[in-house]
Amino acid sequence: MRRLVHGLNAGLALLLIGGSLWAFPRLPVRIPRHFGLGGTADAYWDATLLHWMLVPAIALVVVGIVYGAAWWTGHAPGSVNVPNQQQYDALAPAEKRVILRDVQVFLYGTATAMLVLFSVIQASTYHMATTGADTLPTAGWVVSVGMPVGLLAAALGLAWWLPRRVRGLADDP
């Protein structure tokens, strides 16, 4: 399962970078660089390669940080802070690995969500720049607002679920 997620994330990253490089020569002289809450472009800048590739670069940094956190989680189980910390600390190493894998799965999924979000932002910016539209396409706006809300809900769900998972492992003989 992890290989599938890693492959998906690598594919999304390559698609974001490759698609951005493919789209660059087709851009007009000015492109939107900032959008208000309603999805209306409120600032523009010159369509330089540096400006255009900022979104993919930021995406790679964010995904790198998330993957780094997942790696750290797997390699330093004593430094992980989870709900029911005392119960977690009392777990056997194999049981801790179960919890840590759950956290890693969440982190890898977060990386996937971030890559989708940044790809949609880049595609929406391209759409606006090349069509002359002044607002994000509906799908772009929905994903731009909905993805962070969905990730917050997933994080809250993980925070609700982890104590129960730790308790269940602690109670098993």
Side-chain angles (χ1 to χ4, degrees), residues 5-17 55-56 58-64 67 108-122 143 147 151:
V5 173
H6 297 327
L8 174 63
N9 287 343
L12 286 170
L14 289 173
L15 184 64
L16 174 57
I17 294 165
V55 167
I58 292 168
L60 292 179
V61 168
V62 168
V63 168
Y67 262 78
Y108 295 139
T110 298
T112 304
M114 289 291 96
L115 286 165
V116 169
L117 174 63
F118 282 105
S119 295
V120 168
I121 289 169
Q122 190 77 329
V143 171
M147 190 68 75
L151 282 173

Side-chain angles (χ1 to χ4, degrees), residues 17-116:
I17 294 165
S20 295
L21 290 171
W22 173 85
F24 177 70
R26 295 155 181 78
L27 291 173
V29 175
R30 295 181 46 80
I31 56 175
R33 71 174 168 98
H34 188 267
F35 308 93
L37 285 178
T40 302
D42 57 13
Y44 293 81
W45 58 12
D46 293 336
T48 65
L49 185 60
L50 176 66
H51 289 157
W52 182 243
M53 294 305 289
L54 275 177
V55 167
I58 292 168
L60 292 179
V61 168
V62 168
V63 168
I65 290 168
V66 172
Y67 262 78
W71 178 87
W72 182 260
T73 298
H75 286 82
S79 65
V80 176
N81 187 7
V82 297
N84 293 358
Q85 188 70 40
Q86 288 179 325
Q87 282 184 322
Y88 170 79
D89 290 339
L91 292 175
E95 293 169 326
K96 285 182 182 177
R97 281 192 295 277
V98 170
I99 299 297
L100 298 176
R101 274 193 298 266
D102 293 340
V103 173
Q104 286 178 314
V105 166
F106 171 79
L107 290 170
Y108 295 139
T110 298
T112 304
M114 289 291 96
L115 286 165
V116 169

